Amino acid sequence: MPSCPRCDAPTDDGDRYCAECGAPQTEDAAEELDEYVQRQAQQVAGGGGGGEGGGDSGGGDGFADMADLNDREQLWRRGCYVVGYGTIVIALSIGKISSIPLILAGIAILPPIRRLTARPLGSSLKREVMAGLYAIFALIGVALYVLL
């Protein structure tokens, strides 16, 4: 009975991988494993890419997983989450009527809003539009806070 060259566990003649350590037992299995590892390394290294200049990238609905986005788009999304949730927390701590526009501002800049508005509008909002909505609602909220 043959054994695994890596761990010396007994294997059958038809086994492609060792049941104990997972080492490939045939040349085809070794090539398959090597191709899989190379694909995973490309994904980790950012081989999925993404568009420059603020456009959407990825799947058919205009959205991609975070792993498929370039560094600039990932930074934009993370910043939007921080600013959006931070604005909402500040608005909730104010507790006045001026907090309503601030809550709307925080919601307007959150990245999931792009996906939610894509179907009724026909396409997703560009990030410049999101930032503009945020600025308008935030200015209204701050003005109401100062005036009231």
Side-chain angles (χ1 to χ4, degrees), residues 49-92:
E52 281 291 322
D56 291 330
S57 61
D61 65 349
F63 295 94
D65 294 332
M66 285 294 269
D68 292 338
L69 299 176
N70 61 21
D71 292 339
R72 186 175 181 180
E73 185 68 20
Q74 285 184 13
L75 182 62
W76 171 259
R77 284 192 178 186
R78 289 179 181 144
C80 285
Y81 278 115
V82 169
V83 169
Y85 287 126
T87 304
I88 291 170
V89 167
I90 290 170
L92 292 175

Side-chain angles (χ1 to χ4, degrees), residues 3-24:
S3 64
C4 175
R6 181 188 284 171
C7 69
D8 292 328
T11 60
D12 291 331
D13 287 331
D15 287 349
R16 291 174 44 90
Y17 297 96
C18 175
E20 294 295 320
C21 70

Side-chain angles (χ1 to χ4, degrees), residues 59-130:
D61 65 349
F63 295 94
D65 294 332
M66 285 294 269
D68 292 338
L69 299 176
N70 61 21
D71 292 339
R72 186 175 181 180
E73 185 68 20
Q74 285 184 13
L75 182 62
W76 171 259
R77 284 192 178 186
R78 289 179 181 144
C80 285
Y81 278 115
V82 169
V83 169
Y85 287 126
T87 304
I88 291 170
V89 167
I90 290 170
L92 292 175
S93 67
I94 291 173
K96 293 184 176 181
I97 192 73
S98 62
S99 64
I100 293 172
L102 290 174
I103 291 172
L104 292 175
I107 291 171
I109 198 142
L110 292 174
I113 295 302
R114 293 176 78 181
R115 183 172 297 153
L116 293 173
T117 59
R119 289 222 170 128
L121 297 177
S123 67
S124 63
L125 296 174
K126 296 198 178 290
R127 56 188 197 187
E128 292 83 8
V129 174
M130 292 172 54

Side-chain angles (χ1 to χ4, degrees), residues 41-56:
Q42 286 177 347
Q43 286 182 347
V44 169
E52 281 291 322
D56 291 330

